[in-house]
Every structure is written in structure tokens, then in C-alpha cells.
């Protein structure tokens, strides 16, 4: 009977970034299988070491940071957006203003620090607040973005991290009412061009926060890498926002993962096991 790799062998090969077909190989007997495992493991260890040497001797920055930099350059140097820096700790009130309170699906995913403060699951509340302050000073349009850690309790899986990096850009008062979706599409196209990605899909989607028909997702190989939304929106009033706006949230690790064709997002997340997609404890 044909033998496949043991569970432990499959896990080890997958950690070392073996491709799916190699992990699914079958052998006539256990001896042959174990011999193949040892030789594959040896090769993969060398490949992982080479990747870490290449990082030290080459770009010196992991892929997710390179992606972040490309988007930051596009936003600041071409698209006229200004970077802002806001707190990672978020108050219960700010979250409630996004309608994320006890009965909301996202509420269960929130990491609470104490009764009043949590780790932000998204950048939107801070950006709403900051764009209203800046609109009073700058007038229209206000174009700002932030990139930084967000936290959600996820049931894990290969596409979700508990701590991930979101880049969220918003433009307030720079788009005519009725033209938001067209402008969102334009933004998605130029973001993908800035990243050198041409194989993607744009799909209208339901959003748990913003509702349906007002969102646009960017999908790569069927996986959501970014979500766009626009207003006027029913949440706007309580933030003191009255003009049309558009916004996009990009998942930096999702973009890194698809760029490198990794099957698991852990490879490009904050980690002590992986760096730049390579396994560290080899
Ligand atoms: P999903 O449906 O895939 O869980 P989402 O629609 O809840 O994602 P958004 O709130 O739209 O996510 O966040 C914007 C982007 O942030 C997503 O398009 C995705 O790229 C990224 N993102 C969201 N949650 C995570 C996570 N737990 N780990 C990594 N990236 C994430
Ligand atoms: Mg989404």
C-alpha cells in the first residue's frame, strides 16, 4: 500500500515551505519515504538558510515592510495623503461610536486591557476623529492614512493573525456624491499598480461595519487583501462628518503572503518562528 508522509513529517515540511505537491508525495514503503523525507528536509533547511542570508546581504527588510513602504510612497508622493500616528489603545466609547458594542459580531473579537480600554481592532475610529479635527483646520479635501498594528481574536487558520498590520487611507470632501464607488475603484487600481500586482479582482461586498453595497473588496486568488468603503454613511453624524468620503483598509500581511505565494500568513506576521518567510528554528 502506498505510504504518505507521517503527520509530523508533513508538518515539518510545510513549516519549511515545501510546496503542496511535495508534501502529498506517496512511496512504496516506509524506508523509501523516510529517506525522501530526510533529503527533502535537508534541501529545505538550506533554502531557508539561503533566504535568511539573502535578507542580511540584500534588501535587509522583510517583505511585509517592503510592501508597507511601497504603499506609503504611493500615498505620500503620488496620491497626496498625509500620514498620521494615533494610539493603539482604544476607549470603549470610541468603539461604541462605530456601533461595535456587546451585540456586534466584531465585539467578541476585541482584546480588552481593562473595563475601559482595548487594543484597536481597526483604525477607522481614530481616523474618523482625526479627519474631523483636520477638516476644521485644513478645509476640504482631507487625505490622511495610518499604518499600524490591529488586534482581533480570530479562530486562526491560514489567513488570519491575532495581531496584524492595517494600512487605512481616507479622503474626506474630495469626491462628489454619487462618484464614490468609481473613485474607490480608481484607488484600488492605483494601489495595485504601486505594488506591481496585476492579477486581482474587485468585488462589491457586505461589510459588518458599513453594511452592503457600500463596500469594495480587492481579492487575490480568492482571498480578500483590502476592503474599501464610502460615505455619507449612518455612522458619520456622531463623528461630526457630513461630507462624502472614501476609504480603504489594506491588510499588509495578506498582501505579503500573496506576493510570495505563501499558503500561511504566519510566515509574514510578527513572529519568533519566521522572518521574511523563512523558518528560524531550523
Ligand atoms: P476577513 O473577512 O478576511 O476576516 P475582514 O473583512 O474582517 O476580513 P476588514 O475589517 O475589512 O477585514 O479589514 C481590512 C483588511 O485587513 C482585510 O481586507 C484584510 O486584508 C486585513 N485583515 C483583517 N483581519 C485580519 C486578520 N485577522 N489577520 C490578517 N489580516 C487581516
Ligand atoms: Mg473586509
Amino acid at each position: 500500500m502506498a505510504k504518505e508522509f507521517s503527520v509530523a513529517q508533513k508538518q515539518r515540511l510545510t513549516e519549511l515551505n515545501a510546496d503542496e505537491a511535495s508534501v502529498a508525495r506517496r512511496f512504496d514503503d516506509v524506508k523509501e519515504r523516510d529517506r525522501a523525507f530526510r533529503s527533502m528536509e535537508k534541501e529545505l533547511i538550506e533554502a531557508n538558510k539561503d533566504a535568511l542570508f539573502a535578507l542580511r546581504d540584500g534588501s535587509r527588510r522583510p517583505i511585509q515592510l517592503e510592501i508597507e513602504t511601497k504603499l506609503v510612497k504611493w500615498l505620500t508622493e503620488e496620491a497626496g495623503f498625509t500620514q498620521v500616528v494615533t494610539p493603539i489603545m482604544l476607549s470603549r466609547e470610541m468603539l461604541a461610536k462605530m456601533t461595535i458594542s456587546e451585540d456586534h459580531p466584531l465585539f467578541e473579537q476585541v482584546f480588552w486591557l481593562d473595563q475601559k480600554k482595548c487594543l484597536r481592532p481597526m483604525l477607522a475610529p481614530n481616523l474618523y476623529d482625526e479627519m474631523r479635527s483636520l477638516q476644521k483646520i485644513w478645509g476640504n479635501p482631507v487625505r490622511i492614512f495610518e499604518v499600524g498594528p490591529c488586534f482581533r481574536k480570530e479562530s486562526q487558520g491560514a489567513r488570519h493573525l491575532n495581531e496584524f498590520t492595517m494600512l487605512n487611507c481616507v479622503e474626506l470632501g474630495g469626491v462628489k456624491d454619487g462618484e464614490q464607488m468609481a473613485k474607490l475603484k480608481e484607488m484600488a487600481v492605483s494601489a495595485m499598480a504601486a505594488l506591481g500586482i496585476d492579477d486581482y479582482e474587485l468585488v462589491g461586498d457586505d461589510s459588518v461595519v458599513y453594511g452592503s453595497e457600500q463596500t469594495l473588496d480587492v481579492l487575490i486568488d480568492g482571498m480578500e487583501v483590502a476592503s474599501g468603503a464610502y460615505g455619507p454613511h449612518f455612522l458619520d453624524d456622531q463623528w461630526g462628518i457630513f461630507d462624502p468620503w472614501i476609504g480603504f483598509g489594506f491588510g499588509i500581511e495578506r498582501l505579503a503572503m500573496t506576493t510570495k505565494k505563501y499558503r500561511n500568513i504566519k510566515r509574514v506576521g510578527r513572529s519568533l518562528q519566521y522572518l521574511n518567510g523563512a523558518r528560524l528554528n531550523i
Side-chain angles (χ1 to χ4, degrees):
M1 208 175 76
K3 289 274 168 214
E4 37 179 88
F5 285 122
S6 70
V7 172
Q9 286 173 332
K10 280 184 185 171
Q11 189 184 333
R12 175 74 172 148
L13 294 174
T14 304
E15 282 168 3
L16 291 171
N17 205 24
D19 59 63
E20 243 168 324
S22 305
V23 178
R25 276 175 67 186
R26 285 167 172 273
F27 304 90
D28 290 340
D29 57 54
V30 171
K31 224 171 163 187
E32 190 195 325
R33 176 193 76 178
D34 290 350
R35 201 177 320 122
F37 172 77
R38 280 191 298 274
S39 107
M40 278 170 71
E41 186 189 33
K42 200 164 160 233
E43 263 176 43
L44 288 164
I45 285 173
E46 285 314 307
N48 276 266
K49 281 186 183 165
D50 286 349
L52 291 170
F53 287 130
L55 176 66
R56 182 194 65 185
D57 302 336
S59 76
R60 298 203 170 148
R61 303 188 72 225
I63 177 71
Q64 67 270 41
L65 296 182
E66 298 271 18
I67 285 184
E68 184 181 312
T69 299
K70 280 185 191 166
L71 287 175
V72 169
K73 267 176 86 77
W74 161 63
L75 285 165
T76 55
E77 293 173 18
E78 285 175 44
F81 283 73
T82 300
Q83 189 162 9
V84 300
V85 186
T86 72
I88 288 171
M89 291 185 221
L90 189 71
S91 69
R92 185 179 278 264
E93 288 80 50
M94 290 280 274
L95 204 58
K97 274 172 88 172
M98 292 301 291
T99 68
I100 300 173
S101 36
E102 277 80 356
D103 49 355
H104 194 284
L106 239 181
F107 192 82
E108 295 203 333
Q109 291 187 271
V110 175
F111 285 98
W112 290 97
L113 295 170
D114 61 28
Q115 298 260 307
K116 293 192 176 140
K117 283 210 172 300
C118 65
L119 294 171
R120 62 186 183 193
M122 51 170 60
L123 301 175
N126 291 350
L127 292 181
Y128 255 130
D129 193 82
E130 193 126 342
M131 80 185 171
R132 185 204 47 212
S133 303
L134 287 169
Q135 191 184 38
K136 285 184 189 154
I137 299 157
W138 290 350
N140 282 340
V142 176
R143 295 192 182 98
I144 57 172
F145 74 95
E146 173 158 16
V147 54
C150 290
F151 304 82
R152 292 181 193 178
K153 287 183 191 167
E154 302 279 5
S155 43
Q156 293 299 309
R159 295 169 170 193
H160 289 93
L161 293 162
N162 280 339
E163 45 183 311
F164 62 100
T165 315
M166 178 114 75
L167 187 156
N168 202 167
C169 52
V170 285
E171 181 195 79
L172 171 65
V175 57
K176 282 203 203 100
D177 205 13
E179 292 176 8
Q180 292 97 327
M181 190 48 107
K183 191 109 189 245
L184 265 186
K185 283 188 181 152
E186 229 172 78
M187 272 200 90
V189 168
S190 68
M192 291 301 114
L195 293 171
I197 297 173
D198 45 24
D199 209 3
Y200 61 88
E201 272 177 277
L202 301 180
V203 181
D205 190 17
D206 285 2
S207 157
V208 281
V209 176
Y210 296 107
S212 57
E213 286 167 30
Q214 246 176 287
T215 61
L216 181 76
D217 282 357
V218 183
L219 268 55
I220 300 179
D221 290 333
M223 177 175 69
E224 178 189 321
V225 295
S227 263
Y230 67 83
H233 189 272
F234 75 89
L235 287 175
D236 294 358
D237 277 15
Q238 50 190 331
W239 295 97
I241 295 292
F242 304 102
D243 293 326
W245 59 269
I246 57 165
F248 247 111
F250 297 88
I252 298 295
E253 291 86 0
R254 293 247 180 115
L255 285 165
M257 177 187 172
T258 57
T259 301
K260 288 285 181 184
K261 301 245 179 281
Y262 293 141
R263 274 171 289 135
N264 198 310
I265 196 167
K266 284 204 184 84
R267 251 171 227 288
V268 289
R270 291 177 181 272
S271 176
L272 295 173
Q273 264 124 30
Y274 296 100
L275 180 63
N276 199 32
R279 185 85 182 167
L280 287 169
N281 43 350
I282 45 181

